[in-house]
Amino acid sequence: MEEEINMYLDEARDLMNKAIKHFTGELVKIRAGKASPAILEGLMVQYYGNPTPINQVASITAPDARSLMIKPWEKNVIPEIEKAIINSDLGLNPQNDGEQVIISIPQLTEERRQNLVKQAKGEGEQGKISIRNVRKETNDNLKKLQKDGASEDEIKRAEDKVQALTDDFTKKIDELLEKKEKEIMTV
């Protein structure tokens, strides 16, 4: 039984780690006033009729803190890149010089900063929900082990460990969120 309990605990830890990684990835996409190629991650461009991630049709660089340069591998993709950026919810205004697409990152307004903080908190809540779901699923599995003959004490100790994991990972999300909030609110 000990082995099965440890297996469930390891699985819970792995799943909670994945929730943190996903949350961190989502935070990177929330821009904090500085130009970062990560802002465009997940943006799809029509490439020969197929939706394709932008980083597969162009190189994206941040030459300075206020601009992004998108250099497509093929010039005929430039209008599609512009269209994808304009139609996204990023609020960015692309320009092209015939060779590449240039995006100037505007200074964030106070209202926009507040909205970004709300967005970050929303992502944090999603991360916490994922972690709590892992806790619930793991505890359900532990209860099944008890029915299969594991002692009540063993299960109680395992549930305490699951709760400790949950608390640790929830705290990590709070710390990451606090750091991102400071980053967003720093003018």
Side-chain angles (χ1 to χ4, degrees), residues 36-98:
S36 163
I39 294 169
L40 300 176
E41 245 175 54
L43 193 65
M44 301 301 258
V45 175
Q46 286 299 322
Y47 184 63
Y48 293 108
N50 296 318
T52 309
I54 191 166
N55 60 2
Q56 291 182 14
V57 298
S59 70
I60 305 165
T61 56
D64 57 58
R66 290 267 160 251
S67 59
L68 289 174
M69 280 175 44
I70 305 161
K71 197 160 180 59
W73 314 135
E74 300 172 30
K75 286 183 188 152
N76 63 337
V77 185
I78 289 176
E80 292 299 334
I81 291 174
E82 284 184 300
K83 192 161 52 171
I85 293 166
I86 290 167
N87 293 337
S88 74
D89 61 354
L90 296 171
L92 299 173
N93 206 356
Q95 280 125 20
N96 87 65
D97 62 8

Side-chain angles (χ1 to χ4, degrees), residues 91-107:
L92 299 173
N93 206 356
Q95 280 125 20
N96 87 65
D97 62 8
E99 298 282 322
Q100 60 202 356
V101 177
I102 301 152
I103 300 174
S104 294
I105 306 290
Q107 191 73 24

Side-chain angles (χ1 to χ4, degrees), residues 16 20 22 24 41 51 56 70 85 91 99 106 128 137 155 166 172 179:
M16 288 181 186
I20 294 281
H22 177 76
T24 307
E41 245 175 54
Q56 291 182 14
I70 305 161
I85 293 166
E99 298 282 322
K128 288 180 182 180
E137 198 176 298
I155 299 304
T166 304
K172 279 182 190 171
K179 190 174 153 197

